Each structure stands twice: as C-alpha cells, then as structure tokens.
C-alpha cells in the first residue's frame, strides 16, 4: 500500500521495514517466547490491539495526507519514517508471531542441539523470500500509482483509497474478534 500511495521507493522501503521487523519474530520463535506469548491471552490481546491501533493510526496519516506527489527525488526523512513505521507495525503484529510459532517448528528438529540455529536459518530464508516478494509488490504498486496519479483527480483519490485500505486492515483485527464473540454468544 505504501508503494501505491507514495511511489516505488516507499514500497521498497516498507518491504525492508517489514523484513527487518521479522528479525524480532524469528528471535522470539527461536528462543521459545512465542509459545509463552501464545499461552498468555492477556499479553497477547494487549499486543494484538496495540498493533491494530497502530495500523489504524498509520492508515489515518495516509488518508489525511494531501494530494500525493510521486517523485524520484523524495527526501530521505520520509523514507526513514516509513521504514521505522513498518518495523513497529510488524513487531506489534501478533499474527506474525503466531505464524512463526506454527510454521517454523514444522521444519526444525527441536530435539537437536542446534534447534535455535535451525530457527535462525529458516528465518533468514523466509526473510529473503519475503523481501523479494514484498519489494516486487512495492515496485509494481509504485509503477501503477505513477500511471494513475498522472491526473490531478488520481493524486487526490489515491491517498484516501490507500489510507482507507490500511485502516480497514487495522479495523479487521478487533472487528473479527467482536464477530467471533457475537457468534459464540448466539
């Protein structure tokens, strides 16, 4: 979405931030803290809703931004802010932690003396693949965006659309929990 809203450089920087945030999840999985987090529902809920709130905040920032001007000469400070935001967003995403908790043990011999190293190795492979895929999506979104924003109307609509999509992702987490609660009560 960053690539769509702010160009291909922002999309690639966001991909780098997300992949950097994966380091925390890989370490948590390797050290077994993911299991502790999964077994502590209150702590999990706090992290989950903090992550949702942060995603909503980022979406609102995109939504309320003015018409976008995509430029190959973007100043470095906004890119650094995007990098930091996506690292934090990824670290606060408990679904990533749970993914690593569920996914990684399938490939690791936990009875081995090198289980932590195996987690690290598979984590690096996952990060590499994620960077190629997410970076490619960021570049593609930036190219599409630059074509779309050639008109003044596109420049005004795109941040609203991208911000709305990010906020929808942030709202999905608590709304899904609310929906599950309603269904369980019925």
């Amino acid at each position: 979405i960053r690539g769509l809203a702010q160009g291909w450089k922002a999309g690639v920087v966001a991909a780098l931030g997300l992949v950097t945030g994966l380091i925390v999840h890989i370490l948590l999985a390797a050290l077994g803290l993911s299991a502790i987090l999964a077994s502590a529902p209150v702590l999990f809920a706090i992290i989950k809703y903090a992550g949702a709130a942060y995603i909503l905040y980022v979406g609102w920032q995109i939504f309320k931004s003015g018409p976008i001007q995509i430029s190959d000469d973007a100043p470095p400070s906004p890119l650094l802010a995007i990098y930091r935001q996506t690292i934090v967003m990824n670290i606060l995403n408990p679904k990533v932690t749970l993914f690593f908790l569920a996914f990684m043990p399938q490939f690791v011999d936990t009875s081995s003396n090198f289980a932590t190293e195996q987690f690290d190795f598979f984590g690096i492979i996952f990060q590499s693949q994620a960077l190629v895929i997410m970076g490619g999506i960021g570049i593609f979104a930036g190219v599409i965006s630059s074509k779309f924003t050639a008109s003044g109307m596109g420049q005004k609509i795109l941040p609203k659309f991208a911000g709305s999509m990010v906020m929808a992702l942030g709202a999905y987490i608590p709304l899904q929990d609310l929906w599950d609660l309603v269904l369980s009560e019925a």
Side-chain angles (χ1 to χ4, degrees):
I1 291 182
R2 285 291 187 164
L4 190 61
Q6 298 172 342
W8 72 269
K9 285 183 182 179
V12 171
V13 169
L16 288 169
L18 290 170
V19 170
T20 301
L22 287 176
I23 292 169
V24 172
H25 297 288
I26 293 165
L27 291 174
L28 287 174
L31 299 173
L33 296 178
S34 296
I36 295 169
L37 182 62
S39 67
V42 173
L43 180 59
F44 175 75
I46 290 169
I47 292 173
K48 180 178 181 177
Y49 294 121
Y54 188 72
I55 293 169
L56 286 166
Y57 169 77
V58 169
W60 178 248
Q61 295 301 313
I62 295 170
F63 183 87
K64 72 177 188 154
S65 67
I68 61 171
Q69 301 294 326
I70 295 178
S71 168
D72 288 336
D73 299 326
S77 59
L79 294 178
L80 183 59
I82 290 169
Y83 181 71
R84 284 193 306 254
Q85 286 176 344
T86 54
I87 290 172
V88 171
M89 187 170 54
N90 193 323
I91 290 171
L92 291 176
N93 186 345
K95 290 182 181 182
V96 178
T97 302
L98 292 177
F99 170 79
F100 275 97
L101 178 63
F103 180 74
M104 297 288 275
Q106 307 301 319
F107 302 99
V108 173
D109 179 8
T110 54
S111 65
S112 166
N113 291 336
F114 302 102
T116 301
E117 290 82 359
Q118 291 176 47
F119 270 107
D120 293 340
F121 175 74
F122 289 125
I124 290 168
I125 290 173
F126 183 85
Q127 278 183 297
S128 301
Q129 292 174 340
L131 180 59
V132 169
I133 292 167
M134 290 187 286
I137 291 170
I139 291 169
F140 177 74
V143 169
I144 295 298
S145 173
S146 66
K147 303 295 182 201
F148 182 70
T149 58
S151 73
M153 181 60 87
Q155 291 176 349
K156 293 177 184 174
I157 293 173
L158 200 53
K160 305 295 184 216
F161 175 75
S164 296
M165 292 296 101
V166 173
M167 288 188 291
L169 290 172
Y172 173 79
I173 295 168
L175 290 175
Q176 180 64 42
D177 287 351
L178 181 62
W179 180 251
D180 291 344
L181 181 64
V182 167
L183 289 179
S184 69
E185 297 291 323

